[in-house]
Amino acid sequence: AQSVTQLGSHVSVSEGALVLLRCNYSSSVPPYLFWYVQYPNQGLQLLLKYTSAATLVKGINGFEAEFKKSETSFHLTKPSAHMSDAAEYFCAVRKGGGADGLTFGKGTHLIIQP
Amino acid sequence: DVKVTQSSRYLVKRTGEKVFLECVQDMDHENMFWYRQDPGLGLRLIYFSYDVKMKEKGDIPEGYSVSREKKERFSLILESASTNQTSMYLCASSAPREQYFGPGTRLTVT
C-alpha cells in the first residue's frame, strides 16, 4: 500500500529565506506524486506533480520539487519565502490505478516570519 | 477551467439526522472522490466512483454511503450523523494524473 510521511507538522521560516518541506513516500508501484496547497478556508490547489517524466518538477508560485527514487523522497522547495506562502501543504501519492484516489500526508503548516 | 462545486460551505446538523453533501463537476470527468480532512490527520478517502452508479470504498467508509446517478454529480450521505463525523469534507474529480478539489463543506454535528 502507498503511504506518505511529511516531516514536521509546522515549519517556520523568515521572509526571503529558503522554504524546504519534506515528504517521503512508500509505493509498491511507480509513484505519481503531488504537492497541494491549502489557504485558510479554501479547498486544495495543485502546486506540482511528478508523473515519471523529469525528476525536477517546477510548479506554480516559484515552488519546485525533486523526485529522488533512491531516497524515496519528494521534497518541496522555494528559494525565497513570501508572506503569501503561509498555508497548509500536503504531499500525496496516487494509490494506483486511475480511479483509486490519493493517499495524503498529514500536512505541514508553513509559517512565514516577517 | 475545471470547476468542482459543493452545495454548502458550512453545515450544522443534529445527531441522528440524515445528511446529504452534494458535489458537482463540470468537466465530464469519470472519477469522483469524497475525502474528509481533520487536523493532524490530513485527508482520508471515504468513497470514490469511477462511473455512474459505480462506487468503491476508500479507507474510511464506515458511517457513510454515496450516490452517483449522473456523471457530474456525486453525493455523500451520512445516514445517521454522529458527533465524530464533524469534519471538513472535500470532493474531487479527476482527469488523468490530476485531481481537482472543491472548496469543501465544514460539517458540524451537535
Side-chain angles (χ1 to χ4, degrees), chain A residues 1-93:
Chain A
Q2 280 63 252
S3 67
V4 173
T5 301
Q6 291 185 240
L7 297 176
S9 59
H10 291 77
V11 170
S12 180
V13 302
S14 298
E15 191 174 17
L18 171 73
V19 175
L20 171 61
L21 304 183
R22 300 178 186 273
C23 173
N24 288 90
Y25 71 90
S26 171
S27 178
S28 57
V29 297
Y32 283 5
L33 293 157
F34 306 82
W35 275 100
Y36 284 87
V37 61
Q38 185 179 37
Y39 298 102
N41 299 315
Q42 295 187 27
L44 271 67
Q45 180 182 5
L46 181 69
L47 272 177
L48 49 81
K49 61 185 176 184
Y50 168 77
T51 57
S52 75
T55 56
L56 182 63
V57 181
K58 294 189 183 297
I60 62 171
N61 302 340
F63 284 94
E64 63 181 35
E66 186 172 8
F67 172 70
K68 292 187 176 180
K69 185 177 179 180
S70 61
E71 299 177 8
T72 60
S73 69
F74 190 56
H75 301 332
L76 182 71
T77 60
K78 181 175 181 177
S80 178
H82 192 273
M83 295 300 290
S84 60
D85 295 327
E88 190 86 15
Y89 291 79
F90 293 96
C91 182
V93 62

Coordinates of all heavy atoms in Angstrom, one line a residue, chain A residues 1-93:
Chain A
A1 N 0.8 -1.2 0.0 CA 0.0 0.0 0.0 C 0.9 1.2 0.0 O 2.0 1.2 0.5 CB -0.9 0.0 1.2
Q2 N 0.3 2.3 -0.6 CA 1.1 3.5 -0.7 C 1.0 4.3 0.6 O -0.1 4.2 1.3 CB 0.5 4.4 -1.8 CG 1.1 4.0 -3.2 CD 0.7 2.6 -3.6 OE1 1.5 1.6 -3.6 NE2 -0.6 2.4 -3.9
S3 N 2.0 5.0 1.0 CA 1.9 5.9 2.2 C 2.8 7.1 2.0 O 3.7 7.1 1.1 CB 2.3 5.1 3.4 OG 3.7 4.8 3.4
V4 N 2.5 8.1 2.7 CA 3.3 9.4 2.6 C 3.6 9.9 4.0 O 2.7 9.9 4.9 CB 2.5 10.5 1.9 CG1 3.2 11.8 1.9 CG2 2.3 10.1 0.4
T5 N 4.8 10.3 4.3 CA 5.2 10.9 5.5 C 5.7 12.3 5.3 O 6.7 12.5 4.5 CB 6.3 10.0 6.2 OG1 5.8 8.7 6.4 CG2 6.7 10.6 7.6
Q6 N 5.1 13.2 6.0 CA 5.6 14.6 5.9 C 6.3 14.9 7.3 O 5.7 14.7 8.3 CB 4.5 15.6 5.7 CG 3.9 15.5 4.3 CD 2.8 16.5 4.0 OE1 1.7 16.2 3.7 NE2 3.2 17.8 4.1
L7 N 7.5 15.3 7.2 CA 8.3 15.6 8.4 C 8.1 17.0 8.8 O 8.4 17.9 8.1 CB 9.8 15.3 8.1 CG 10.1 13.9 7.8 CD1 11.6 13.7 7.4 CD2 9.8 12.9 8.9
G8 N 7.5 17.1 10.0 CA 7.3 18.4 10.6 C 5.9 18.9 10.3 O 5.5 19.2 9.2
S9 N 5.1 19.0 11.4 CA 3.7 19.4 11.2 C 3.6 21.0 11.1 O 2.7 21.5 10.5 CB 2.8 19.0 12.4 OG 3.4 19.5 13.6
H10 N 4.7 21.6 11.6 CA 4.8 23.1 11.5 C 6.2 23.4 11.1 O 7.2 22.9 11.7 CB 4.5 23.8 12.8 CG 3.0 23.7 13.1 ND1 2.5 22.5 13.7 CD2 2.0 24.6 13.0 CE1 1.2 22.8 13.9 NE2 0.9 24.0 13.5
V11 N 6.4 24.3 10.1 CA 7.7 24.8 9.7 C 7.6 26.3 9.6 O 6.7 26.9 9.1 CB 8.1 24.2 8.3 CG1 9.3 24.9 7.8 CG2 8.3 22.7 8.4
S12 N 8.6 26.9 10.3 CA 8.6 28.4 10.3 C 9.9 28.9 9.7 O 11.0 28.4 10.0 CB 8.6 28.9 11.8 OG 8.6 30.3 11.9
V13 N 9.8 29.8 8.7 CA 10.9 30.4 8.1 C 10.7 31.9 8.0 O 9.6 32.4 8.1 CB 11.1 29.9 6.6 CG1 11.3 28.4 6.7 CG2 10.0 30.3 5.7
S14 N 11.8 32.6 7.9 CA 11.7 34.1 7.7 C 11.4 34.5 6.3 O 11.8 33.7 5.3 CB 13.1 34.7 8.1 OG 13.4 34.5 9.5
E15 N 10.8 35.6 6.1 CA 10.5 36.1 4.8 C 11.8 36.2 4.0 O 12.8 36.8 4.6 CB 9.8 37.4 4.8 CG 9.2 37.9 3.5 CD 8.4 39.1 3.6 OE1 8.5 39.8 4.6 OE2 7.6 39.4 2.7
G16 N 11.9 35.7 2.8 CA 13.1 35.8 2.0 C 14.0 34.6 2.2 O 15.0 34.4 1.4
A17 N 13.8 33.7 3.1 CA 14.6 32.5 3.4 C 14.1 31.4 2.5 O 13.0 31.4 2.0 CB 14.6 32.2 4.8
L18 N 15.0 30.3 2.5 CA 14.6 29.1 1.7 C 13.5 28.4 2.4 O 13.5 28.2 3.6 CB 15.8 28.2 1.6 CG 15.6 26.8 1.1 CD1 15.4 26.9 -0.4 CD2 16.8 25.9 1.4
V19 N 12.6 27.9 1.6 CA 11.5 27.0 2.1 C 11.8 25.6 1.8 O 12.1 25.3 0.6 CB 10.1 27.4 1.6 CG1 9.1 26.4 2.0 CG2 9.7 28.8 2.0
L20 N 11.8 24.7 2.7 CA 12.0 23.2 2.5 C 11.0 22.5 3.3 O 11.0 22.5 4.5 CB 13.4 22.8 2.9 CG 13.7 21.3 2.9 CD1 13.5 20.7 1.5 CD2 15.1 21.0 3.4
L21 N 10.1 21.8 2.5 CA 9.1 21.0 3.2 C 9.4 19.5 2.7 O 9.4 19.2 1.5 CB 7.7 21.4 2.8 CG 7.3 22.8 3.0 CD1 5.8 23.1 2.6 CD2 7.5 23.2 4.5
R22 N 9.5 18.6 3.7 CA 9.9 17.3 3.4 C 8.8 16.3 3.2 O 7.8 16.3 4.0 CB 10.8 16.8 4.5 CG 12.1 17.7 4.7 CD 12.9 17.2 5.9 NE 14.0 18.1 6.1 CZ 15.2 18.0 5.5 NH1 15.4 17.1 4.6 NH2 16.2 18.9 5.8
C23 N 9.0 15.4 2.3 CA 8.0 14.4 2.0 C 8.7 13.1 1.6 O 9.5 13.1 0.7 CB 7.0 14.8 0.9 SG 5.9 13.5 0.3
N24 N 8.4 12.0 2.3 CA 8.9 10.7 1.9 C 7.7 9.8 1.6 O 6.7 9.9 2.3 CB 9.8 10.1 3.0 CG 11.1 10.8 3.1 OD1 11.2 11.8 3.9 ND2 12.1 10.3 2.4
Y25 N 7.9 8.9 0.7 CA 6.7 8.1 0.3 C 7.1 6.6 0.3 O 8.3 6.3 0.3 CB 6.3 8.5 -1.2 CG 7.3 8.1 -2.2 CD1 7.2 6.9 -2.9 CD2 8.4 9.0 -2.5 CE1 8.2 6.5 -3.8 CE2 9.3 8.6 -3.5 CZ 9.2 7.4 -4.1 OH 10.2 7.0 -5.0
S26 N 6.1 5.8 0.3 CA 6.3 4.4 0.1 C 5.3 4.0 -1.0 O 4.1 4.3 -0.8 CB 6.0 3.7 1.4 OG 6.0 2.3 1.2
S27 N 5.7 3.3 -2.0 CA 4.8 2.9 -3.0 C 5.3 1.6 -3.6 O 6.4 1.4 -3.9 CB 4.7 4.0 -4.1 OG 3.9 3.6 -5.2
S28 N 4.3 0.7 -3.9 CA 4.6 -0.6 -4.5 C 4.6 -0.6 -6.0 O 4.9 -1.5 -6.7 CB 3.6 -1.7 -4.0 OG 2.3 -1.2 -4.3
V29 N 4.2 0.6 -6.5 CA 4.1 0.8 -8.0 C 4.9 2.1 -8.2 O 5.1 2.9 -7.3 CB 2.7 0.9 -8.5 CG1 2.0 -0.5 -8.2 CG2 1.9 2.0 -7.9
P30 N 5.3 2.3 -9.5 CA 6.0 3.6 -9.8 C 5.0 4.7 -9.4 O 3.9 4.7 -9.8 CB 6.1 3.5 -11.3 CG 6.3 2.0 -11.6 CD 5.4 1.3 -10.6
P31 N 5.6 5.6 -8.6 CA 4.7 6.6 -7.9 C 4.3 7.7 -8.8 O 5.1 8.2 -9.6 CB 5.5 7.0 -6.7 CG 6.9 6.9 -7.2 CD 6.9 5.7 -8.1
Y32 N 3.1 8.2 -8.7 CA 2.7 9.6 -9.1 C 2.6 10.4 -7.8 O 1.9 10.0 -6.9 CB 1.4 9.6 -9.8 CG 1.4 9.1 -11.2 CD1 2.6 8.5 -11.8 CD2 0.3 9.1 -12.0 CE1 2.6 8.0 -13.1 CE2 0.3 8.6 -13.4 CZ 1.5 8.1 -13.9 OH 1.5 7.6 -15.2
L33 N 3.3 11.5 -7.7 CA 3.4 12.3 -6.5 C 2.9 13.7 -6.8 O 3.1 14.3 -7.8 CB 4.9 12.3 -6.0 CG 5.4 10.9 -5.6 CD1 6.9 10.9 -5.6 CD2 4.9 10.6 -4.1
F34 N 2.4 14.3 -5.7 CA 1.7 15.6 -5.8 C 2.0 16.4 -4.6 O 2.2 15.9 -3.5 CB 0.2 15.4 -5.9 CG -0.2 14.5 -7.1 CD1 -0.3 13.2 -6.9 CD2 -0.6 15.1 -8.3 CE1 -0.7 12.3 -7.9 CE2 -1.1 14.2 -9.3 CZ -1.1 12.9 -9.1
W35 N 2.1 17.7 -4.8 CA 2.0 18.7 -3.7 C 0.8 19.6 -3.9 O 0.7 20.1 -5.0 CB 3.3 19.5 -3.6 CG 4.4 18.9 -2.9 CD1 5.5 18.2 -3.4 CD2 4.6 18.9 -1.4 NE1 6.4 17.8 -2.4 CE2 5.8 18.2 -1.2 CE3 3.9 19.4 -0.4 CZ2 6.3 18.0 0.1 CZ3 4.3 19.2 0.9 CH2 5.6 18.5 1.2
Y36 N 0.0 19.7 -2.8 CA -1.1 20.6 -2.9 C -0.9 21.6 -1.8 O -0.3 21.4 -0.7 CB -2.4 19.8 -2.6 CG -2.9 19.0 -3.7 CD1 -2.5 17.7 -3.9 CD2 -3.9 19.5 -4.6 CE1 -3.0 16.9 -5.0 CE2 -4.4 18.8 -5.6 CZ -4.0 17.5 -5.8 OH -4.5 16.7 -6.9
V37 N -1.5 22.8 -2.0 CA -1.5 23.9 -1.0 C -3.0 24.2 -0.7 O -3.9 24.2 -1.5 CB -0.8 25.1 -1.5 CG1 -1.4 25.7 -2.8 CG2 -0.7 26.2 -0.4
Q38 N -3.2 24.5 0.6 CA -4.5 24.9 1.1 C -4.4 26.2 1.9 O -3.8 26.2 2.9 CB -5.1 23.8 1.9 CG -6.6 24.1 2.3 CD -7.2 23.0 3.2 OE1 -6.5 22.4 4.0 NE2 -8.4 22.7 3.0
Y39 N -5.0 27.2 1.3 CA -5.0 28.5 2.1 C -6.2 28.5 3.0 O -7.2 27.7 2.8 CB -5.1 29.7 1.1 CG -3.9 29.8 0.2 CD1 -4.0 29.3 -1.1 CD2 -2.7 30.3 0.7 CE1 -2.8 29.4 -1.9 CE2 -1.6 30.3 -0.1 CZ -1.7 29.8 -1.4 OH -0.5 29.9 -2.2
P40 N -6.2 29.3 4.0 CA -7.3 29.2 5.0 C -8.7 29.3 4.4 O -9.0 30.2 3.5 CB -7.0 30.5 5.9 CG -5.6 30.6 5.8 CD -5.2 30.3 4.4
N41 N -9.6 28.4 4.8 CA -11.0 28.4 4.4 C -11.1 28.2 2.9 O -12.1 28.6 2.3 CB -11.7 29.7 4.8 CG -11.7 29.8 6.3 OD1 -12.0 28.9 7.0 ND2 -11.4 31.0 6.7
Q42 N -10.2 27.5 2.3 CA -10.3 27.2 0.9 C -10.0 25.7 0.6 O -9.6 25.0 1.5 CB -9.3 28.0 0.1 CG -9.5 29.5 0.1 CD -8.6 30.3 -0.9 OE1 -8.2 29.8 -1.9 NE2 -8.4 31.5 -0.5
G43 N -10.3 25.3 -0.6 CA -10.0 23.9 -1.0 C -8.5 23.7 -1.3 O -7.7 24.6 -1.1
L44 N -8.2 22.6 -1.9 CA -6.8 22.3 -2.2 C -6.5 22.7 -3.6 O -7.3 22.5 -4.6 CB -6.5 20.8 -2.1 CG -6.1 20.3 -0.7 CD1 -7.2 20.4 0.3 CD2 -5.6 18.9 -0.8
Q45 N -5.3 23.3 -3.8 CA -4.8 23.7 -5.1 C -3.6 23.0 -5.4 O -2.7 22.9 -4.6 CB -4.6 25.2 -5.1 CG -4.1 25.8 -6.4 CD -3.8 27.3 -6.3 OE1 -3.9 27.9 -5.2 NE2 -3.5 27.9 -7.4
L46 N -3.5 22.5 -6.6 CA -2.3 21.7 -7.0 C -1.1 22.6 -7.3 O -1.2 23.6 -8.0 CB -2.6 20.9 -8.3 CG -1.4 20.1 -8.9 CD1 -1.2 18.9 -7.9 CD2 -1.7 19.6 -10.3
L47 N 0.0 22.3 -6.6 CA 1.2 23.1 -6.8 C 2.1 22.5 -7.9 O 2.6 23.2 -8.8 CB 2.1 23.1 -5.5 CG 1.8 24.1 -4.4 CD1 2.7 23.8 -3.2 CD2 2.1 25.5 -4.9
L48 N 2.2 21.2 -7.8 CA 3.0 20.5 -8.9 C 2.8 19.0 -8.7 O 2.2 18.5 -7.8 CB 4.5 20.8 -8.7 CG 5.2 20.7 -7.3 CD1 5.5 19.3 -7.0 CD2 6.4 21.6 -7.3
K49 N 3.3 18.3 -9.8 CA 3.1 16.8 -9.8 C 4.2 16.2 -10.5 O 4.8 16.7 -11.4 CB 1.8 16.5 -10.5 CG 1.7 16.9 -11.9 CD 0.3 16.6 -12.5 CE 0.2 17.1 -14.0 NZ -1.1 16.9 -14.5
Y50 N 4.6 15.0 -10.1 CA 5.6 14.1 -10.7 C 4.9 12.9 -11.3 O 4.2 12.2 -10.5 CB 6.6 13.7 -9.7 CG 7.5 12.6 -10.3 CD1 8.5 12.9 -11.2 CD2 7.3 11.2 -9.9 CE1 9.3 11.8 -11.7 CE2 8.1 10.2 -10.4 CZ 9.1 10.5 -11.3 OH 9.8 9.5 -11.9
T51 N 5.0 12.7 -12.6 CA 4.4 11.6 -13.2 C 5.3 10.8 -14.1 O 5.0 10.4 -15.2 CB 3.2 12.1 -14.1 OG1 3.7 13.0 -15.0 CG2 2.1 12.7 -13.2
S52 N 6.5 10.6 -13.6 CA 7.6 9.8 -14.2 C 8.3 10.4 -15.4 O 8.9 9.7 -16.1 CB 7.1 8.4 -14.6 OG 6.3 8.5 -15.7
A53 N 8.2 11.7 -15.5 CA 8.9 12.4 -16.6 C 10.2 13.0 -15.9 O 10.9 12.3 -15.3 CB 8.1 13.4 -17.3
A54 N 10.4 14.3 -16.0 CA 11.6 14.9 -15.4 C 11.6 14.7 -13.9 O 10.5 14.9 -13.3 CB 11.7 16.3 -15.8
T55 N 12.7 14.5 -13.3 CA 12.7 14.3 -11.8 C 12.6 15.6 -11.1 O 12.3 15.7 -9.9 CB 14.0 13.6 -11.4 OG1 15.2 14.3 -11.9 CG2 14.0 12.2 -12.0
L56 N 13.0 16.7 -11.7 CA 12.9 18.1 -11.1 C 11.6 18.7 -11.7 O 11.6 18.9 -12.9 CB 14.1 18.9 -11.4 CG 14.1 20.3 -10.7 CD1 14.0 20.2 -9.2 CD2 15.3 21.1 -11.2
V57 N 10.7 18.9 -10.8 CA 9.4 19.4 -11.3 C 9.2 20.8 -10.8 O 9.4 21.1 -9.6 CB 8.2 18.5 -10.7 CG1 6.9 19.0 -11.2 CG2 8.5 17.1 -11.1
K58 N 8.8 21.7 -11.7 CA 8.5 23.1 -11.4 C 7.0 23.3 -11.3 O 6.3 22.8 -12.1 CB 9.1 24.0 -12.4 CG 10.7 24.0 -12.4 CD 11.3 25.1 -13.3 CE 12.8 24.9 -13.3 NZ 13.4 25.2 -12.0
G59 N 6.6 24.0 -10.3 CA 5.2 24.3 -10.1 C 4.9 25.7 -10.1 O 5.6 26.6 -10.6
I60 N 3.7 26.0 -9.6 CA 3.3 27.4 -9.5 C 3.9 28.2 -8.3 O 4.4 27.5 -7.4 CB 1.7 27.5 -9.5 CG1 1.2 26.9 -8.2 CG2 1.1 26.9 -10.7 CD1 -0.3 27.1 -7.9
N61 N 3.8 29.5 -8.4 CA 4.3 30.3 -7.3 C 5.7 30.1 -6.9 O 6.1 30.4 -5.8 CB 3.4 30.1 -6.0 CG 1.9 30.4 -6.3 OD1 1.6 31.1 -7.3 ND2 1.1 29.8 -5.5
G62 N 6.6 29.7 -7.9 CA 8.0 29.6 -7.6 C 8.4 28.3 -6.9 O 9.6 28.2 -6.5
F63 N 7.5 27.4 -6.6 CA 7.9 26.2 -6.0 C 8.4 25.1 -7.0 O 8.0 25.1 -8.1 CB 6.6 25.6 -5.3 CG 6.3 26.3 -4.0 CD1 5.4 27.3 -4.0 CD2 6.9 25.9 -2.8 CE1 5.1 28.0 -2.8 CE2 6.6 26.6 -1.6 CZ 5.6 27.6 -1.6
E64 N 9.2 24.2 -6.5 CA 9.7 23.1 -7.2 C 9.9 21.9 -6.3 O 10.0 22.1 -5.1 CB 10.9 23.4 -8.1 CG 12.1 23.8 -7.3 CD 13.3 24.1 -8.2 OE1 13.1 24.7 -9.3 OE2 14.5 23.8 -7.8
A65 N 10.0 20.7 -6.9 CA 10.2 19.5 -6.1 C 11.1 18.6 -6.9 O 11.0 18.5 -8.1 CB 8.9 18.9 -5.7
E66 N 11.9 17.8 -6.2 CA 12.8 16.9 -6.9 C 12.4 15.4 -6.4 O 12.4 15.1 -5.2 CB 14.2 17.2 -6.6 CG 15.2 16.3 -7.4 CD 16.6 16.7 -7.2 OE1 17.0 17.5 -6.4 OE2 17.5 16.1 -8.0
F67 N 12.2 14.6 -7.4 CA 11.9 13.2 -7.1 C 13.2 12.5 -7.0 O 14.1 12.5 -7.9 CB 11.1 12.6 -8.2 CG 10.9 11.1 -8.2 CD1 10.1 10.5 -7.2 CD2 11.5 10.3 -9.1 CE1 9.9 9.2 -7.1 CE2 11.4 8.9 -9.0 CZ 10.6 8.3 -8.0
K68 N 13.5 11.8 -5.9 CA 14.7 11.0 -5.7 C 14.3 9.6 -5.3 O 13.9 9.3 -4.1 CB 15.5 11.6 -4.6 CG 16.2 13.0 -4.9 CD 17.1 13.4 -3.9 CE 17.8 14.7 -4.3 NZ 18.8 15.2 -3.3
K69 N 14.4 8.7 -6.3 CA 13.9 7.4 -6.1 C 14.8 6.7 -5.0 O 14.2 5.9 -4.2 CB 14.0 6.6 -7.4 CG 13.5 5.2 -7.3 CD 13.5 4.5 -8.7 CE 13.0 3.1 -8.6 NZ 13.0 2.4 -9.9
S70 N 16.1 6.9 -5.0 CA 16.9 6.2 -4.1 C 16.6 6.6 -2.6 O 16.9 5.8 -1.7 CB 18.4 6.6 -4.4 OG 18.6 7.9 -4.3
E71 N 16.1 7.8 -2.4 CA 15.8 8.3 -1.1 C 14.3 8.2 -0.8 O 13.8 8.6 0.3 CB 16.3 9.7 -0.9 CG 17.8 9.9 -1.0 CD 18.2 11.3 -0.9 OE1 17.4 12.2 -0.6 OE2 19.4 11.6 -1.1
T72 N 13.5 7.7 -1.8 CA 12.0 7.7 -1.7 C 11.5 9.1 -1.2 O 10.7 9.1 -0.3 CB 11.5 6.6 -0.9 OG1 11.9 6.6 0.4 CG2 11.9 5.2 -1.5
S73 N 12.0 10.2 -1.8 CA 11.7 11.5 -1.3 C 11.1 12.4 -2.4 O 11.4 12.1 -3.6 CB 12.9 12.2 -0.6 OG 13.8 12.5 -1.6
F74 N 10.4 13.3 -2.0 CA 9.8 14.3 -3.0 C 9.6 15.6 -2.2 O 8.6 16.1 -2.0 CB 8.5 13.8 -3.5 CG 7.9 14.6 -4.7 CD1 8.7 14.8 -5.9 CD2 6.6 15.1 -4.7 CE1 8.1 15.5 -6.9 CE2 6.1 15.8 -5.7 CZ 6.9 16.0 -6.9
H75 N 10.8 16.2 -1.9 CA 10.8 17.4 -1.0 C 10.4 18.7 -1.9 O 10.8 18.8 -3.0 CB 12.1 17.7 -0.4 CG 12.6 16.5 0.5 ND1 11.7 15.7 1.2 CD2 13.8 16.1 0.8 CE1 12.3 14.8 1.8 NE2 13.6 15.0 1.6
L76 N 9.7 19.6 -1.2 CA 9.2 20.8 -1.9 C 10.1 22.0 -1.4 O 10.4 22.1 -0.2 CB 7.8 21.1 -1.5 CG 7.1 22.3 -2.1 CD1 6.8 22.1 -3.5 CD2 5.8 22.6 -1.3
T77 N 10.5 22.8 -2.4 CA 11.4 23.9 -2.1 C 11.0 25.2 -2.8 O 10.3 25.1 -3.8 CB 12.9 23.6 -2.5 OG1 12.9 23.4 -3.9 CG2 13.4 22.4 -1.7
K78 N 11.4 26.3 -2.2 CA 11.2 27.6 -2.8 C 12.4 28.4 -2.4 O 12.6 28.5 -1.1 CB 9.9 28.2 -2.5 CG 9.6 29.6 -3.1 CD 8.3 30.1 -2.8 CE 8.1 31.5 -3.5 NZ 6.7 32.0 -3.3
P79 N 13.1 29.1 -3.3 CA 14.3 29.8 -2.9 C 14.1 30.9 -1.9 O 14.9 31.1 -1.0 CB 14.9 30.3 -4.2 CG 14.2 29.5 -5.2 CD 12.9 29.1 -4.7
S80 N 13.0 31.6 -2.0 CA 12.8 32.8 -1.2 C 11.3 32.9 -0.8 O 10.4 33.1 -1.6 CB 13.1 34.1 -2.0 OG 12.9 35.2 -1.3
A81 N 11.1 32.7 0.5 CA 9.7 32.7 1.0 C 9.1 34.1 1.0 O 9.7 35.1 1.2 CB 9.7 32.2 2.5
H82 N 7.8 34.1 0.7 CA 7.0 35.3 0.7 C 5.8 35.1 1.7 O 5.4 34.0 2.0 CB 6.4 35.5 -0.7 CG 5.8 36.9 -0.9 ND1 4.5 37.2 -0.6 CD2 6.3 38.1 -1.3 CE1 4.2 38.4 -0.8 NE2 5.3 39.0 -1.3
M83 N 5.4 36.3 2.3 CA 4.3 36.2 3.3 C 3.1 35.4 2.8 O 2.4 34.7 3.5 CB 3.9 37.6 3.8 CG 5.0 38.4 4.5 SD 5.6 37.5 6.0 CE 4.1 37.7 7.0
S84 N 2.8 35.6 1.5 CA 1.7 34.9 0.9 C 1.8 33.4 0.8 O 0.8 32.7 0.5 CB 1.4 35.5 -0.5 OG 2.5 35.3 -1.3
D85 N 3.0 32.9 1.1 CA 3.2 31.4 1.1 C 2.7 30.7 2.3 O 2.6 29.5 2.4 CB 4.7 31.1 0.9 CG 5.2 31.5 -0.4 OD1 4.5 31.5 -1.4 OD2 6.4 31.9 -0.5
A86 N 2.3 31.5 3.3 CA 1.8 30.9 4.6 C 0.5 30.1 4.3 O -0.5 30.7 3.8 CB 1.5 32.0 5.6
A87 N 0.5 28.8 4.5 CA -0.6 28.0 4.2 C -0.3 26.6 4.7 O 0.7 26.3 5.3 CB -0.8 27.9 2.7
E88 N -1.2 25.7 4.5 CA -1.0 24.2 4.8 C -0.6 23.5 3.5 O -1.2 23.8 2.4 CB -2.3 23.6 5.3 CG -2.2 22.2 5.9 CD -1.8 22.2 7.3 OE1 -1.8 23.3 8.0 OE2 -1.3 21.2 7.8
Y89 N 0.4 22.7 3.5 CA 0.9 22.0 2.4 C 0.8 20.5 2.6 O 1.1 20.0 3.6 CB 2.4 22.4 2.1 CG 2.5 23.8 1.7 CD1 2.5 24.8 2.6 CD2 2.7 24.1 0.3 CE1 2.6 26.2 2.2 CE2 2.8 25.5 -0.1 CZ 2.8 26.5 0.9 OH 2.9 27.8 0.5
F90 N 0.3 19.8 1.5 CA 0.1 18.4 1.6 C 0.8 17.7 0.5 O 0.7 18.1 -0.7 CB -1.4 18.1 1.4 CG -2.3 18.5 2.6 CD1 -2.9 19.7 2.5 CD2 -2.4 17.7 3.7 CE1 -3.7 20.2 3.6 CE2 -3.1 18.2 4.8 CZ -3.8 19.4 4.7
C91 N 1.5 16.7 0.8 CA 2.1 15.8 -0.2 C 1.2 14.6 -0.3 O 0.6 14.1 0.6 CB 3.5 15.3 0.4 SG 4.4 14.2 -0.8
A92 N 1.1 14.1 -1.6 CA 0.2 12.9 -1.8 C 0.8 12.0 -2.8 O 1.5 12.4 -3.7 CB -1.2 13.5 -2.3
V93 N 0.4 10.8 -2.8 CA 0.8 9.8 -3.8 C -0.4 9.1 -4.3 O -1.4 8.8 -3.5 CB 1.8 8.7 -3.1 CG1 1.1 7.9 -2.0 CG2 2.3 7.8 -4.2

